[in-house]
Amino acid sequence: MTNSEIREQINANNILIETLLDPTAFTLNPIIKDLLAKNADLQAQCTHSFVDGVCEFCDMEEEK
């Protein structure tokens, strides 16, 4: 998967997370949990291009 494809998938996952997030609920929706796990898997595949400490493709923060 290319970095651009990773960016597109993370963006799609984040949009789903925003639509599913219920600020009045104090339990984590299992779908949101799965999407966050998928984002973590995508971050592990990314080759990273950090801009101002954050990868422009996967949103991972650069280690200091």
Side-chain angles (χ1 to χ4, degrees):
M1 182 173 264
T2 68
N3 284 346
S4 295
E5 291 170 331
I6 289 171
R7 171 81 270 155
E8 288 176 21
Q9 187 61 56
I10 287 177
N11 284 345
N13 290 349
N14 288 341
I15 289 169
L16 281 172
I17 290 169
E18 285 180 24
T19 61
L20 296 170
L21 192 62
D22 180 1
T24 63
F26 293 103
T27 57
L28 184 60
N29 180 322
I31 297 170
I32 293 174
K33 180 183 173 191
D34 290 341
L35 290 168
L36 291 172
K38 287 179 184 178
N39 282 355
D41 289 341
L42 291 167
Q43 287 175 329
Q45 295 176 42
C46 186
T47 57
H48 307 299
S49 174
F50 293 103
V51 177
D52 296 326
V54 178
C55 178
E56 65 181 321
F57 298 108
C58 72
D59 299 330
M60 179 178 275
E61 292 186 13
E62 190 171 23
E63 293 183 22
K64 295 179 182 177

